Amino acid sequence: MTDYRNIVILTGAGVSAESGIDTFRAEGGLWEQHRVEDVATPEAFARDPDLVLRFYDMRRAAIQTKVPNGAHLALARLDREWAGNLLIVTQNVDDLHERAGARRVLHMHGEHLNAWCTACDTRHPWRGPLMDRPPCPHCGANALRPDIVWFGEMPYRMDDIYAALGQADLFVSIGTSGAVYPAAGLVREARAQGTATLELNLEPSQGTRWFDEARHGPASVLVPAWVDEVLSGQSG
Ligand code: NAD
């Protein structure tokens, strides 16, 4: 573990599971009692905006009642203490990495606590509901939507992600099922360029075979242990 300098970490819903935020496919393919295609696609929003806005209003309110767990805190410690490059690429749309204190975080699938105005293409910190169609603070149009990358939309900042990955000597995937692309493909990019790869997940994921090493168990246990290992290697 002592030879690494540049680390890219991909996190998914499993990192926030122990904070009480449901993973995507926890129960029989439903997400919080909804089919994904009914709430997390642009088509769903066009068809039934009230349903989609209500769903995200509830999620936005819910995450504000949750707190970071040991995995978030350990990654924030790594961010503070790691002298090399580090990028935490998260698929999560909650703010628990930031609330734990991490700074080098990139939200590739957007953020619950942002609203996006589709009229003037500005983004705004947002904690309340969108259901009642509040005006955009910038242009006044009633055209705010959740700043969430839905299925069929392009994830954010892929150029920055690939640039960081291109420099990485270690790629670590934490709490993600390896089912949602392009995030699920990052391990193969890393592998193709000779970067070491490690999976930390509750159980083998769909991508486990692509990793050099896989450790299975709860993120709140695995991640602090791994961070200790990495930081002790740095000082040693
Ligand atoms: P996913 O639900 O597909 O997979 C979650 C993975 O985490 C599974 O492999 C599961 O075994 C593992 N896991 C569950 N509990 C764990 C724990 N305690 N410790 C370690 N691993 C655990 O989620 P995904 O791979 O992130 O992809 C799905 C999509 O869902 C993403 O696009 C994301 O934007 C969205 N999503 C985000 C949140 C959030 O922001 N917290 C929550 C649900 C879904």
Side-chain angles (χ1 to χ4, degrees), residues 26-27 31 35 39 49 74 91 107 110 131 136 160 163 206 213 219:
E27 293 296 327
W31 185 25
R35 294 187 320 152
V39 289
Q91 299 167 85
H107 283 271
M131 176 70 183
C136 167
D160 292 337
Q206 293 185 28
E213 185 188 348

Side-chain angles (χ1 to χ4, degrees), residues 12-14 18 24-25 91-94 109 176-177 201-203 219:
E18 290 166 82
F24 216 31
R25 294 177 185 78
Q91 299 167 85
N92 293 346
V93 292
D94 64 53
H109 290 165
T176 175
S177 60
N201 201 52
L202 188 61
E203 59 204 357

Side-chain angles (χ1 to χ4, degrees), residues 23-88:
T23 59
F24 216 31
R25 294 177 185 78
E27 293 296 327
L30 293 184
W31 185 25
E32 305 262 326
Q33 286 78 53
H34 290 276
R35 294 187 320 152
V36 166
E37 51 274 34
D38 290 339
V39 289
T41 63
E43 292 77 17
F45 187 51
R47 191 169 55 237
D48 192 346
D50 282 358
L51 172 75
V52 173
L53 291 175
R54 193 164 52 238
F55 175 78
Y56 282 97
D57 282 358
M58 285 169 55
R59 304 276 301 168
R60 192 177 312 103
I63 63 148
Q64 295 179 65
T65 69
K66 311 296 183 189
V67 294
N69 64 53
H72 299 106
L73 293 169
L75 291 175
R77 176 178 167 227
L78 181 66
D79 183 22
R80 269 194 312 278
E81 298 182 16
W82 184 249
N85 289 332
L86 174 80
L87 184 63
I88 300 171

Side-chain angles (χ1 to χ4, degrees), residues 20-21 27 34-35 46 63 86-87 98 108 126 133 137 166 177 189 194-195 200 204 208 211 213 221 227 236:
I21 300 178
E27 293 296 327
H34 290 276
R35 294 187 320 152
I63 63 148
L86 174 80
L87 184 63
E98 287 88 345
M108 69 182 293
W126 207 268
R133 311 297 199 280
S177 60
E189 296 279 339
T195 301
L200 306 176
T208 296
F211 290 87
E213 185 188 348
V221 174
V227 167

